Amino acid sequence: MRIAATLLLVAMAGVFLLAHNMLTVHPAWGYVHAFAEAAMVGGLADWFAVTALFRHPMGVPIPHTAIIPQNKDRIADTMAQFLQSNFLTPVVVARRMRDMNVAKAAGDFLVKRGDSTEGRLRAGAAELFVELLESLDPDRLGLQVKAGLARQAEKIELSPLLGKMLEAAIADDRHRPLMDSMIRWAGLTLEDNEEMVRDMVQERANAIIRWTGLDGRLANSVLDGLYRLLAEILVDPEHPLRNKVQEGLEKLAHDLQHDPETRAKVERIKTDLLNNPALNDWWMGVWERLRLSLIESIRNPDKAMGGEVGHSLAELGATLQSDPGLQMQVNRFARRTLVGTVNRYGEQIVGLVSNTVKGWDASTITMRIERAVGRDLQFIRINGTLVGGLVGLTIHFLTEVF
């Protein structure tokens, strides 16, 4: 377009020279001469105006030219202020977010996984995440994660939390299935170790009982009594031993919350666990398996997205699409989060924009703005040439008539 505008200006100069030599041939050449002359003036004036925005015309430092390069810092501040005033204020963000259904859009994204654009977006983000996981030192990263979790665990006093959980479980009778499982486990353990129990009874029986052969019957009676006791406890919800165990659990729940000695003991156990080298080795193994499984699932998206992960994500997406209540909660959370982010970091964001533009050199900002405006700059020159010619033609017509 720059070449086209320049060629049009050259063409007008050629027409002007031709018409100037033909003025005596016919009066009509006067109109052509006036059009070409004014078109050259208009084209040159608009060329100067367009060029003066971005650089010195023909390299001559004429005052008030190269406007954008010389004022790039002011332009940067103005852009940042415009961005902050019109986009990065809590009121504006909240108003725009009210018209957006972020939850439904997320649901559509999760359900419609086959779209190519979304696939490229997901693939790019996945590859970036994989490169991050592979570039960082696995051992160091695992230790940092462990240290962070350990710091959080140290801040939490586990004893009252465990006590409240146990108290709530007892109040809702959620401990009964656990007790039933323990009773069944005890019965199975006793069944697997009958011979050991028989040997223990026979070893502790005196010589007379062993001589009379009653030790075998005694062992059988002990086993039968234990089986009967376990069966009675299992089928009777109000069995005295059950009540005794429940009383012990209730006391434990109370002590965990209110007894300083019990609370201190739990904290010591927690500290010992956190400082145990075996726990560190276990965590590093878990972390490495987790890291490798994440990399594998991301590197093989068809396998991951086609399995349980994909099925779960699709179900979550369908729920987000169809549940208005969940959409409202997610949208409210997203709106509050974004508004809070803008409120806290809005000035830093616009400061980043301003400092980035200020850091560009004059040629860079000139090139980027000129390319952003594009062909319209050259259409200014073309329009100036044609409009100038029409104005010259009109003036020549009026002078000839009047």
Side-chain angles (χ1 to χ4, degrees):
M1 290 306 300
R2 184 183 291 114
I3 294 173
T6 304
L7 288 177
L8 180 61
L9 182 59
V10 172
M12 290 299 103
V15 171
F16 171 77
L17 292 175
L18 177 63
H20 182 75
N21 292 325
M22 303 294 291
L23 284 175
T24 58
V25 175
H26 192 278
W29 284 104
Y31 289 92
V32 177
H33 181 268
F35 179 88
E37 183 179 25
M40 284 194 301
V41 173
L44 286 171
D46 283 342
W47 166 81
F48 183 89
V50 169
T51 304
L53 284 172
F54 301 98
R55 57 189 63 84
H56 296 299
M58 302 183 70
V60 179
I62 303 171
H64 304 294
T65 58
I67 295 172
I68 290 176
Q70 292 186 3
N71 294 275
K72 69 182 185 70
D73 291 349
R74 183 162 57 87
I75 293 172
D77 292 334
T78 303
M79 289 173 59
Q81 186 61 41
F82 175 81
L83 181 64
Q84 184 174 22
S85 302
N86 294 276
F87 296 96
L88 292 180
T89 60
V91 175
V92 172
V93 172
R95 184 171 62 249
R96 292 180 182 272
M97 289 289 291
R98 272 197 296 269
D99 300 329
M100 297 173 61
N101 194 337
V102 177
K104 189 175 185 305
D108 294 340
F109 179 82
L110 292 175
V111 171
K112 300 175 184 177
R113 300 193 303 273
D115 185 85
S116 60
T117 302
E118 293 172 353
R120 287 195 299 270
L121 175 64
R122 207 168 28 246
E127 187 61 28
L128 179 63
F129 187 58
V130 166
E131 290 178 359
L132 177 64
L133 286 175
E134 290 182 338
S135 64
L136 297 174
D137 184 357
D139 294 336
R140 183 176 180 183
L141 184 59
L143 290 174
Q144 288 177 343
V145 175
K146 173 186 172 293
L149 294 175
R151 284 194 297 270
Q152 296 302 319
E154 289 173 356
K155 296 176 183 178
I156 300 174
E157 189 177 0
L158 289 180
S159 184
L161 180 62
L162 295 174
K164 290 179 181 179
M165 291 173 58
L166 182 57
E167 187 178 58
I170 294 172
D172 296 337
D173 283 338
R174 292 197 299 270
H175 68 297
R176 292 187 181 276
L178 179 60
M179 292 176 64
D180 293 342
S181 299
M182 292 177 64
I183 294 168
R184 293 190 183 93
W185 174 80
L188 294 173
T189 304
L190 182 61
E191 183 178 354
D192 292 338
N193 295 276
E194 281 189 1
E195 291 302 320
M196 184 183 69
V197 175
R198 293 179 191 278
D199 293 340
M200 290 174 59
V201 172
Q202 291 172 353
E203 287 176 2
R204 285 164 175 73
N206 57 40
I208 296 176
I209 294 178
R210 286 198 299 272
W211 180 73
T212 57
L214 295 176
D215 54 340
R217 292 185 179 182
L218 180 60
N220 290 334
S221 298
V222 170
L223 287 170
D224 291 342
L226 290 174
Y227 281 127
R228 189 179 301 111
L229 177 63
L230 291 174
E232 291 174 355
I233 297 173
L234 185 62
V235 299
D236 185 6
E238 301 299 329
H239 194 279
L241 284 181
R242 270 185 181 267
N243 295 333
K244 202 68 177 176
V245 172
Q246 182 162 328
E247 289 176 5
L249 292 175
E250 290 173 350
K251 183 177 185 306
L252 176 61
H254 178 274
D255 291 345
L256 285 171
Q257 297 180 71
H258 306 291
D259 181 43
E261 185 177 347
T262 303
R263 294 172 66 167
K265 187 182 297 184
V266 172
E267 287 302 305
R268 285 196 299 271
I269 294 173
K270 181 188 76 174
T271 303
D272 292 341
L273 283 174
L274 292 176
N275 295 330
N276 194 323
L279 180 65
N280 179 68
D281 296 339
W282 171 81
W283 164 252
M284 292 304 296
V286 170
W287 168 253
E288 184 61 16
R289 288 195 297 273
L290 176 62
R291 188 181 71 89
L292 293 177
S293 64
L294 280 174
I295 294 175
E296 175 65 21
S297 63
I298 294 172
R299 283 273 165 81
N300 297 281
D302 294 336
K303 177 181 176 182
M305 298 304 291
E308 291 298 324
V309 175
H311 183 67
S312 300
L313 290 176
E315 287 184 347
L316 175 61
T319 304
L320 286 171
Q321 284 180 322
S322 59
D323 190 337
L326 182 60
Q327 288 181 11
M328 182 181 66
Q329 292 178 351
V330 172
N331 291 336
R332 183 188 299 138
F333 173 77
R335 184 169 62 250
R336 289 178 176 174
T337 301
L338 190 55
V339 169
T341 301
V342 169
N343 190 40
R344 287 192 296 272
Y345 304 111
E347 292 185 1
Q348 289 91 325
I349 294 173
V350 297
L352 175 64
V353 174
S354 176
N355 293 332
T356 300
V357 175
K358 288 179 180 179
W360 291 342
D361 56 61
S363 60
T364 299
I365 191 171
T366 299
M367 177 186 65
R368 294 191 176 184
I369 295 179
E370 192 171 9
R371 287 182 178 177
V373 179
R375 296 158 56 94
D376 290 335
L377 284 171
Q378 307 310 317
F379 274 112
I380 292 175
R381 295 175 55 193
I382 294 173
N383 292 336
T385 303
L386 297 176
V387 171
L390 292 174
V391 171
L393 184 64
T394 303
I395 294 174
H396 182 76
F397 172 75
L398 292 175
T399 57
E400 289 292 322
V401 172
F402 300 103

